[in-house]
């Protein structure tokens, strides 16, 4: 299978499972599912679930067992986008070419839809499965996810971002910020996938390092696309970082050097996979695919 | 030990453990811990943790194993208060005699502090403990907590509340709303405590029914205190429900009938404990104690 086909097949699998998790009774709170669905099923690359499933497969895992965790990571990613877009945060009106959640459902429901996706993420992976996944792996996976989504992970990054709003920051702080805000949840995806498969410690560390560097490359590419991309491809206005006086890798280094950094981080990501001696080719392909993206 | 002493000793135990969970490095995101601590350690009755620990004890559990879960329930309760107080929700300036979280830290940090407490709740209970709590009980407890804190529980109640803002509602909807918004997390506390202790199914159901009715009595008493209480005792302005045109048990039934409903729900709560044949006296005492509260 071509790499793009593989990526699309993983995304399709995840989309179907996410849709099933959003089924519900027609009860008085049904509006919340509408708001959750709106953002959860708005497309998107499904990068994190794909990494989780690929890392799981490389380490010898069972895709069916890993799928709920892939969905949980995407729910957490989506909740973070809904809350990040709120007026009290980035105050964005558009996301993936659609109006942001609070623009459609109001701020109150948008806050609750984020809360609900975060809560649902833990609900769908806290399942007792006597014949399947060993409970030790399940509990460790929940622990990793909560840790890397929390104050020492993704939320920590968002706090640093908010604290420096309009004030600028040095490159060390920017690296620290994106190591948390972007890389942490990607690391959660990769390491959860590996843990569920019962990966060895050195494999786990390799996946973790890959994900950290891939996340940094991904974020810098995002910064570049905010300058060089198009509204049609990104589904949101171009130049918003500059307009919001955000410190980015592009504002510090310029587009050309930022592009070199993407290549350098990508190389480090790929190099981290050496321990798999070729078995992790799909993650190598993913890293190279992301460099060339235009959205 | 007198009942009040017992309740205070449980609260003290929980307060110490919560304080320990809030220790952190002096890193660039340290502000988030300050915001989490501010609301988490702002006093409060610690009703939900007390119910969890008491239900656990009655069913023969180990208090040390149950304590992290008691803290997790209180973290979830606190996150819900922080988000409920936001301008997009109830827009409250005071809580327990202190300024609300967003009034002190700003809306962005308040949203993130809520997100972080919710995430931390799952982190502190997702611990592999080979020699202690059986993993089946741990996973079931996580599942119950996520379910009753989510769209079919506490968040669902908040959605119904928000959807009817300023529009009024009938008594069936009001009962449904509080069954979710108030009772669901109390049910989570009681049933998680029981599950951790390996309670029998009929004990679990008894605790669940107790918690549902106790939660309803608690909420109606809250509605009454909003009319008859004092600013000094409640730590927030009196009459805010009427000012916000909120439908309450008092606005529908008046103070006198609402008081009778508190007694009726309390009796149902106590009656549900019959299966314990006297072993649940502490929960009976708790129900009676809550009727007489003035804050």
């Amino acid at each position: 299978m071509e790499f793009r086909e593989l990526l699309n097949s993983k995304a399709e699998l995840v989309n179907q499972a996410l849709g099933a998790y959003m089924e519900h009774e027609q009860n008085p709170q049904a509006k919340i599912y509408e708001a959750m669905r709106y953002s959860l099923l708005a497309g998107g690359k499904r990068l994190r679930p794909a990494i989780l499933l690929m890392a799981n497969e490389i380490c010898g895992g069972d895709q069916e067992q890993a799928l709920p965790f892939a969905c949980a990571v995407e729910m957490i990613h989506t909740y973070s986008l809904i809350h990040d877009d709120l007026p009290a945060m980035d105050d964005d009106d558009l996301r993936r070419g659609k109006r942001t959640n609070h623009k459609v459902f109001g701020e109150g429901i948008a806050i609750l839809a984020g809360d609900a996706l975060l809560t649902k993420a833990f609900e769908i992976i806290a399942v007792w499965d006597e014949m399947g996944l060993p409970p030790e792996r399940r509990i460790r996976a929940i622990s990793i996810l909560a840790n890397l989504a929390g104050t020492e992970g993704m939320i920590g990054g968002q706090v640093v971002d908010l604290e420096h709003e309009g004030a600028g920051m040095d490159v060390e702080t920017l690296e620290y910020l994106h190591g948390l805000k972007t890389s942490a949840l990607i690391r959660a995806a990769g390491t959860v996938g590996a843990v569920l498969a019962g990966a060895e410690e050195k494999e786990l560390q390799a996946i973790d390092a890959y994900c950290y560097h891939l996340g940094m490359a991904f974020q810098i590419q995002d910064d570049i696309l905010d300058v060089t991309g198009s509204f049609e491809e990104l589904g949101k206005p171009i130049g918003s970082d500059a307009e919001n006086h955000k410190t980015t890798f592009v504002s510090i280094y310029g587009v050309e050097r930022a592009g070199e950094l993407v290549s350098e981080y990508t190389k480090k990501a790929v190099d981290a996979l050496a321990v798999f001696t070729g078995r992790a080719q799909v993650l190598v392909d993913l890293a190279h695919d992301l460099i060339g993206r235009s959205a």
Side-chain angles (χ1 to χ4, degrees), chain A:
Chain A
M1 209 185 312
E2 288 291 313
F3 177 74
R4 269 300 167 104
E5 275 179 60
L6 178 71
L7 203 59
N8 290 339
S9 75
K10 300 282 183 211
E12 187 46 42
L13 196 69
V14 168
N15 288 340
Q16 283 188 13
L18 289 173
Y21 283 126
M22 289 297 106
E23 285 170 14
H24 62 89
E25 303 291 315
Q26 269 311 325
N27 54 25
Q29 66 268 36
K31 174 73 91 182
I32 193 70
Y33 293 98
E34 199 188 320
M36 293 160 80
R37 281 183 74 95
Y38 178 82
S39 294
L40 190 62
L41 303 180
K45 289 175 280 292
R46 309 304 188 200
L47 171 65
R48 292 155 193 81
I51 289 173
L52 192 150
L53 294 174
M54 288 171 179
N56 184 255
E57 198 168 5
I58 288 165
C59 298
D62 174 319
Q63 181 167 267
E64 206 176 310
Q65 287 176 356
L67 188 57
F69 292 83
C71 291
V73 170
E74 190 67 8
M75 286 180 187
I76 290 179
H77 174 57
T78 303
Y79 114 75
S80 79
L81 300 181
I82 295 174
H83 282 190
D84 280 11
D85 286 338
L86 288 167
M89 309 272 207
D90 285 354
D91 195 13
D92 281 319
D93 295 350
L94 286 172
R95 158 88 57 191
R96 295 172 182 164
K98 294 172 69 176
R99 288 194 298 156
T100 45
N101 200 286
H102 65 275
K103 282 282 165 187
V104 176
F105 297 97
E107 273 185 63
I109 291 290
I111 293 168
L112 292 172
D115 296 345
L117 284 167
L118 174 55
T119 309
K120 182 66 81 180
F122 290 104
E123 186 181 356
I124 66 174
I125 57 179
V127 176
W128 180 250
D129 176 15
E130 202 153 1
M131 308 304 285
L133 194 62
E136 179 168 8
R137 294 186 196 170
R138 182 181 300 277
I139 290 170
R140 191 165 173 203
I142 296 173
S143 169
I144 290 170
L145 188 56
N147 180 259
L148 288 172
T151 47
E152 297 300 314
M154 186 184 72
I155 292 176
Q158 180 66 4
V159 171
V160 177
D161 201 6
L162 203 57
E163 289 277 284
H164 288 81
E165 207 175 32
M169 68 186 87
D170 56 29
V171 69
E172 286 75 24
T173 306
L174 186 66
E175 279 171 8
Y176 179 83
L177 188 171
H178 288 307
L180 296 183
K181 187 170 171 174
T182 307
S183 286
L185 196 61
I186 293 176
R187 289 173 54 211
T191 53
V192 163
V195 159
L196 295 178
E200 291 171 32
E201 203 55 43
K202 65 175 182 181
E203 293 176 327
L204 202 60
Q205 284 170 16
I207 295 278
D208 195 19
Y210 166 83
C211 289
Y212 170 77
H213 292 102
L214 187 81
M216 296 302 286
F218 184 81
Q219 179 58 50
I220 300 170
Q221 184 73 0
D222 240 26
D223 291 354
I224 294 172
L225 288 173
D226 189 66
V227 175
T228 66
S230 72
F231 180 90
E232 288 67 30
E233 287 177 308
L234 293 180
K236 61 183 180 183
I238 301 306
S240 62
D241 290 340
E243 199 177 305
N244 296 330
H245 306 288
K246 279 219 169 190
T247 305
T248 71
F249 285 93
V250 171
S251 76
I252 290 180
Y253 290 114
V255 169
E256 194 178 344
R257 175 70 191 127
E260 290 169 12
L261 283 171
V262 172
S263 299
E264 287 167 26
Y265 274 115
T266 301
K267 182 173 185 312
K268 284 182 188 166
V270 169
D271 287 350
L273 298 171
V275 62
F276 289 103
T277 57
R279 282 182 295 127
Q281 186 57 39
V282 65
L283 291 179
V284 175
D285 291 346
L286 178 66
H288 290 145
D289 189 72
L290 287 177
I291 291 193
R293 74 197 167 96
S294 58

